[in-house]
Amino acid sequence: MSFSARSFAFFAMYTLASVAACGGESSSGAGGAGGSGDDAAGPGPGSTSSGPGATSGSGGGATSGSGSATTSSGSGGATSSSATSSGSGDVTTSATSTGAGDTTTSTAATGGTDPGGCSIFCSDFEGGSLPSEIQFFPEYLRPRMSEFVTLDSTGHSGTRSVKVSGTDFSQMLGVAVPSNFWGRVYLKSATDIQMGHNTYVAAAEGNGDPNNGEQIRIGEHQCQLELNRRSDDKEMLSNGGMYMCSGGVKLVANTWYCLEFHYDGPGRSVSVFVDGTEVNAMHVTDWGPYDYKLFKFGFEKYHGGAKTMWYDDLALHSERVGCGK
């Protein structure tokens, strides 16, 4: 499927809905010490690190980065692409500018041809607006999107990034993906990683609504990075499974981290890397099979405080991208 440049769509309808928290934690307090995680039932339908790198404790064989964010060798305008296959051998490519330094490329690959670089989507967000391929979720909050998402002057490789003010239940941006994909994004938070359970990025089967379809989410819980499955709240803590703020991969405030991920829906596996090193305790080989439709990034809050996040240099590809591109 190819995309054309267009203004980011806003919807005029806003529906008030309630958010119910479930699991063993208070919606206004910190995470519990003994459960398997928690979930929320919503309304339905390269830069050098400015601080210490990801750290890992001794629990459960978790691993982490080398102590600082990887320095990227690239800068300037990234390209953004989307690829779909329909069986023939032709490749159609079109490029449209979305602002200074940011180019959006849509590629309809009909014979499995890989244009290289980022065959699905990539952006450094240096343009004057979000790339047209990106949609805000949940849909009922789109009329208020400007309250939660802005292009900020705090950049990783350039002068801009996506700033997400995570104050409501879910403020996520979504990009169409195939069911098996690699990704890389640089992320930074205004606060240290929290005890409460929340999501940074996810691969989703459904229509983008936080409660529709299976969603495999990477985020925070018990003061460490974790992997979580929406349907049954299954969770893989980076410290190996100890429900306490001890060990695991810690992300500290005001520091850029390179987060990589491989979502293989048909192959039932998920892999997570921080600053180039795999977090072994978060690797799964038996979740699925799933037919992912969207990659989402932003902030989804279940239990714990609000959080301001920045995202930059997003790349989604058929192969591993790495932190140095």
Side-chain angles (χ1 to χ4, degrees), residues 198-264:
N198 308 292
T199 290
Y200 305 150
V201 306
E205 281 193 306
N207 61 10
D209 183 271
N211 291 300
N212 179 261
E214 188 61 275
Q215 303 192 38
I216 307 302
R217 312 177 292 200
I218 301 170
E220 61 187 14
H221 195 196
Q222 297 295 322
C223 314
Q224 63 193 278
L225 203 66
E226 55 89 55
L227 183 71
N228 176 251
R229 182 165 59 187
R230 187 199 71 84
S231 59
D232 60 358
D233 214 21
K234 179 73 174 178
E235 184 171 37
M236 306 295 289
L237 294 172
S238 57
N239 71 2
M242 298 181 294
Y243 276 83
M244 59 183 68
C245 284
S246 176
V249 177
K250 313 287 190 186
L251 305 185
V252 301
N254 301 314
T255 303
W256 286 108
Y257 292 96
C258 174
L259 178 68
E260 295 177 89
F261 34 86
H262 180 207
Y263 284 100
D264 184 353

Side-chain angles (χ1 to χ4, degrees), residues 1-319:
M1 171 171 61
S2 65
F3 298 88
S4 60
R6 62 186 183 276
S7 299
F8 193 84
F10 288 87
F11 286 74
M13 186 66 69
Y14 171 63
T15 305
L16 292 175
S18 61
V19 177
C22 62
E25 300 177 277
S26 165
S27 62
S28 61
S36 61
D38 49 63
D39 204 348
S47 170
T48 302
S49 170
S50 60
T55 61
S56 174
S58 60
T63 62
S64 68
S66 60
S68 64
T70 304
T71 301
S72 173
S73 59
S75 63
T79 60
S80 170
S81 64
S82 178
T84 58
S85 174
S86 61
S88 66
D90 299 326
V91 177
T92 302
T93 303
S94 63
T96 56
S97 174
T98 59
D102 190 79
T103 303
T104 299
T105 302
S106 297
T107 302
T110 55
T113 302
D114 189 341
C118 56
S119 58
I120 303 170
F121 175 89
C122 64
S123 181
D124 58 7
F125 305 109
E126 291 296 300
S129 61
L130 286 173
S132 60
E133 291 90 342
I134 294 179
Q135 288 282 338
F136 180 83
F137 297 97
E139 185 175 332
Y140 78 94
L141 280 179
R142 282 182 187 164
R144 297 174 54 198
M145 190 191 82
S146 61
E147 298 177 33
F148 309 118
V149 179
T150 57
L151 284 178
D152 190 67
S153 59
T154 303
H156 169 254
S157 64
T159 60
R160 291 178 185 265
S161 63
V162 177
K163 180 181 179 181
V164 179
S165 300
T167 57
D168 211 320
F169 163 48
S170 182
Q171 297 84 46
M172 301 288 277
L173 297 169
V175 181
V177 292
S179 58
N180 183 356
F181 68 97
W182 283 84
R184 188 279 318 281
V185 69
Y186 282 86
L187 75 166
K188 183 176 75 168
S189 170
T191 55
D192 290 347
I193 202 163
Q194 298 188 72
M195 178 182 283
H197 182 201
N198 308 292
T199 290
Y200 305 150
V201 306
E205 281 193 306
N207 61 10
D209 183 271
N211 291 300
N212 179 261
E214 188 61 275
Q215 303 192 38
I216 307 302
R217 312 177 292 200
I218 301 170
E220 61 187 14
H221 195 196
Q222 297 295 322
C223 314
Q224 63 193 278
L225 203 66
E226 55 89 55
L227 183 71
N228 176 251
R229 182 165 59 187
R230 187 199 71 84
S231 59
D232 60 358
D233 214 21
K234 179 73 174 178
E235 184 171 37
M236 306 295 289
L237 294 172
S238 57
N239 71 2
M242 298 181 294
Y243 276 83
M244 59 183 68
C245 284
S246 176
V249 177
K250 313 287 190 186
L251 305 185
V252 301
N254 301 314
T255 303
W256 286 108
Y257 292 96
C258 174
L259 178 68
E260 295 177 89
F261 34 86
H262 180 207
Y263 284 100
D264 184 353
R268 304 170 181 256
S269 70
V270 182
S271 301
V272 181
F273 305 77
V274 176
D275 286 344
T277 301
E278 183 169 6
V279 185
N280 293 324
M282 293 172 63
H283 179 64
V284 297
T285 59
D286 59 353
W287 286 14
Y290 300 130
D291 184 16
Y292 299 124
K293 304 295 186 186
L294 288 168
F295 168 72
K296 299 167 66 178
F297 65 102
F299 192 66
E300 198 162 276
K301 182 169 72 73
Y302 315 127
H303 299 289
K307 199 176 188 79
T308 299
M309 302 283 298
W310 288 266
Y311 293 90
D312 203 359
D313 297 322
L314 171 63
L316 304 174
H317 192 37
S318 58
E319 299 177 359

